[in-house]
Amino acid sequence: QVQLQESGPGLVKPSQTLSLTCTVSGGSITTSYYAWSWIRQPPGKGLEWVGVIAYDGSTYYSPSLRSRTSISRDTTKNQFSLQLSSVTPEDTAVYYCAAKDPVLYYRDPRGYDYWGQGTQVTVSS
């Protein structure tokens, strides 16, 4: 059973970079054909897919966030990370890491099999 756990600061100042890490247990992030995503939920809104890093290291980002988003991984620690730059209060949300197999249709949050518990990130000065 794959388990995911988010970690990172809960408060980020405007214009700074939001950095979160997802630690995975019960499975390897290099296992074919898994997709490992970051998904967020702003207050009062639905789930929004942010980006994905696939089992082979390839990355894809939401078009609306692409210019500010970077997802990377550390295979030795079985972790993947999110960096979102130049944040504004509109980036305030609960951020989830999630996994699905196979990698197809990775943009739809409803298709994910495994979820972390989520971490609240607030952007405020």
Side-chain angles (χ1 to χ4, degrees):
Q1 180 81 356
V2 175
Q3 295 182 314
L4 304 97
Q5 178 66 58
E6 306 90 350
S7 59
L11 180 65
V12 183
K13 289 182 166 53
S15 80
Q16 293 188 342
T17 296
L18 179 162
S19 297
L20 296 174
T21 295
C22 183
T23 300
V24 178
S25 59
S28 170
I29 61 173
T30 61
T31 299
S32 302
Y33 297 93
Y34 274 78
W36 307 90
S37 277
W38 288 98
I39 296 166
R40 69 182 186 179
Q41 186 167 29
K45 298 184 178 180
L47 294 171
E48 178 185 18
W49 176 75
V50 176
V52 65
I53 185 163
Y55 64 96
D56 61 356
S58 54
T59 54
Y60 305 92
Y61 304 118
S62 169
S64 64
L65 298 171
R66 180 179 294 126
S67 64
R68 300 192 290 126
T69 307
S70 177
I71 296 177
S72 59
R73 68 180 184 175
D74 185 335
T75 57
T76 64
K77 296 181 179 178
N78 215 33
Q79 296 175 331
F80 63 104
S81 298
L82 169 69
Q83 289 199 312
L84 183 65
S85 63
S86 304
V87 296
T88 71
E90 286 66 42
D91 294 308
T92 294
V94 177
Y95 283 76
Y96 298 92
C97 56
K100 69 185 303 289
D101 172 31
V103 71
L104 296 175
Y105 310 115
Y106 52 78
R107 296 187 181 189
D108 186 351
R110 297 170 298 178
Y112 281 78
D113 305 303
Y114 307 101
W115 292 76
Q117 65 184 23
T119 186
Q120 172 71 47
V121 178
T122 301
V123 179
S124 175
S125 55

